[in-house]
Amino acid sequence: MPVPRLSNEGDDPLSIFMKPPPYETDEERTDRLRREAEEKRVSDQIDEYIKAERAAMKKKRSDIKLLLLGQSESGKSTTLKNFQLTFAPKAWREERTSWRAVIQFNLVRSVNTILDVLSKEMLSALGGGSTAHLNIAQSSSRPPSGSWSMDALDANLDGNFSSDDEQELRLAPLRSVECDLKTFLGAGSTEVTASTSDISQMVATPFDIDYRGSAPPSASLTRRRTNEFAVRSHAAWKRSLGMHTGSSKTRPSSPKAGLDLDGATEVIAGCKDDIKMLWHDPLIQELLKRRGVKLGDSAAYYFHHVDRIANRKYEPSDDDVLRARLRTLGVQEHKLVFEHSADEGRSRLPTTDLDLLPSADAGSTWCIYDVGGSRTSRAAWLPFFDDAHAILFLAPINCFDEQLAEDPRVNRLQDSMILWKSIVSSKLLTGCSIVLFLNKYDLLVKKLQSGVQARDFVTNYGDRENDAAVFAKYMRGKFKTLLKDLSPKPRPFYGFLTSVIDQQNTGLTLSYLRDGILREHLKKAEIV
């Protein structure tokens, strides 16, 4: 049966509903108009909120999402710092001072590591006797008669090596400084070791169920979680220092354990001469070499600059911060807002097969995710693969003769290749651009020049020249072959030799990298 049409506006139910009451008083009319105005205001607010939410979602979808992947100590966090330094220099300068405590911690930890080695050497010389009164620091008020000479120590194997009390400047206070700074900086100040790693939490790749098998991403995600499964946008120690305040004059105390950072600085400054004495003693260097002690990659740099770092008015430089080491926990999200295009120096970039695109506009945002790289942290990577636009994979090329700290059975270079294989072969990452940084090339040069033979650890290297450039070319070819053979669909190979502590060259590489990633992103969005 046909529905009868309304004959005129007066029959419109909506018009009838909106029509004022026929016998409305002036007071009722005023009240009605007030209610209608309020309802319209609320409705407009809701419309504006929905509009803003849609704009935010649209912007979020347009932001580049970049993952920094690789094993622990591969250079991921240093690369992130280079992104900030290159594309957001103003924000970088505001944050730089907050790294002061981390740099001091790195220096103090290296000093205490040397003291531990020296203490063990004394215990060995004493046949396991006590060294409870071992005071190995000398006075800074006059030249030490015996410096840090092992001969002088051997001549006094009575368990007590203290000099006159009035002239004695001991390094023992650095123990408590290290403990206080560790409390302040949190879990990231503690390195992963085999003794502290739970094998049940380890996976070789983010797609594995456990150490014995692997499964599709869905199964891997549902069957296990790690203790570090989290996203942190900023570290707590940065918040406590008021990051991005732009003030380098304010030195707040730590909210943890009542630590006074100025007090720690004072202790370190007071130990400066003794730290220098310790590091420059040739017998100490010989002892470290003989015992195979591995200090952090940046230890020598910080010792070289101890006059500046162990200073009461110390302000970190860009190079100091780039070399600062603090372990990344879980997955940390960083919003990088481009302040300028950083076009300068582009003409010096090498010519390759990547197409260049005019730089990203100032104000555009990238979401960069820095991940914990140890095998205890890799299961936390998986949820971030789904909508990633690009992956920057860092493989330290100098570590062909080293083992994983969390699992000494595994060679570090082999571990990088296992990770690389899992990433390039993943169907989940088929649409993701992948870039390889063969990092720490500077350390590779030093290692091979010191006489270490690559062929002793990389058997397939054969009789090739024991030269950094030759070895790097060989490894680049290996990574390229894996990508070509294992990728679900053909994709270009972008591989760079890097030393990410070199801010100038790394900045140029990142400018080039950014343009390539942006072009790929726009191409997939069918904008170009």
Side-chain angles (χ1 to χ4, degrees), residues 171-412:
L171 290 176
L174 293 181
R175 297 287 187 185
S176 60
V177 169
E178 180 180 0
C179 290
D180 287 343
L181 289 174
K182 285 180 71 173
T183 300
F184 172 66
L185 296 172
S189 61
T190 303
E191 296 295 342
V192 171
T193 64
S195 61
T196 60
S197 298
D198 182 358
I199 195 169
S200 67
Q201 294 290 323
M202 287 193 196
V203 290
T205 80
F207 305 102
D208 294 346
I209 293 177
D210 53 34
Y211 242 28
R212 295 173 295 281
S214 60
S218 58
S220 179
L221 183 59
T222 56
R223 290 188 56 178
R224 63 181 316 280
R225 292 287 191 272
T226 73
N227 292 330
E228 296 181 0
F229 192 91
V231 178
R232 300 169 175 86
S233 59
H234 296 292
W237 61 272
K238 288 184 181 180
R239 289 198 303 269
S240 65
L241 284 173
M243 191 183 77
H244 296 313
T245 62
S247 173
S248 61
K249 296 181 180 180
T250 302
R251 305 282 190 202
S253 298
S254 167
K256 301 178 182 179
L259 172 64
D260 178 10
L261 295 182
D262 278 335
T265 299
E266 189 72 24
V267 173
I268 295 170
C271 293
K272 177 179 65 177
D273 291 338
D274 294 277
I275 294 173
K276 290 168 61 179
M277 192 187 311
L278 178 71
W279 178 249
H280 290 295
D281 192 300
L283 290 174
I284 293 294
Q285 295 297 326
E286 180 184 337
L287 174 63
L288 296 176
K289 183 177 181 180
R290 174 161 52 85
R291 284 187 170 263
V293 177
K294 184 181 182 298
L295 301 175
D297 291 340
S298 298
Y301 171 86
Y302 289 140
F303 278 119
H304 181 73
H305 293 278
V306 71
D307 278 325
R308 181 171 53 82
I309 295 173
N311 188 292
R312 292 170 178 83
K313 298 181 179 180
Y314 170 60
E315 293 292 341
S317 68
D318 290 341
D319 285 335
D320 295 346
V321 178
L322 285 178
R323 288 169 169 80
R325 163 69 181 165
L326 193 67
R327 184 167 64 95
T328 302
L329 300 176
V331 179
Q332 296 189 358
E333 179 188 75
H334 300 264
K335 295 283 189 180
L336 178 67
V337 180
F338 285 79
E339 295 174 7
H340 58 75
S341 61
D343 280 332
E344 58 271 14
R346 181 175 304 210
S347 60
R348 290 175 286 170
L349 290 173
T351 302
T352 67
D353 53 354
L354 245 183
D355 293 324
L356 293 179
L357 184 75
S359 300
D361 293 333
S364 60
T365 303
W366 281 23
C367 292
I368 303 180
Y369 293 86
D370 184 16
V371 304
S374 72
R375 289 192 167 193
T376 58
S377 302
R378 295 176 188 174
W381 301 2
L382 189 59
F384 302 90
F385 289 170
D386 186 40
D387 56 348
H389 297 107
I391 288 174
L392 177 51
F393 187 95
L394 288 99
I397 197 174
N398 67 308
C399 61
F400 60 85
D401 61 339
E402 302 173 18
Q403 285 71 45
L404 291 178
E406 65 270 29
D407 189 347
R409 300 171 299 176
V410 181
N411 178 274
R412 287 188 64 190

Side-chain angles (χ1 to χ4, degrees), residues 1 13 36 61 79-80 124 126 197 201 216 263 278 323 346 348 387 484 497:
M1 179 177 178
E36 290 177 354
R61 287 193 297 267
T79 301
L80 172 63
S124 177
L126 289 166
S197 298
Q201 294 290 323
L278 178 71
R323 288 169 169 80
R346 181 175 304 210
R348 290 175 286 170
D387 56 348
K484 180 180 179 181
L497 288 178

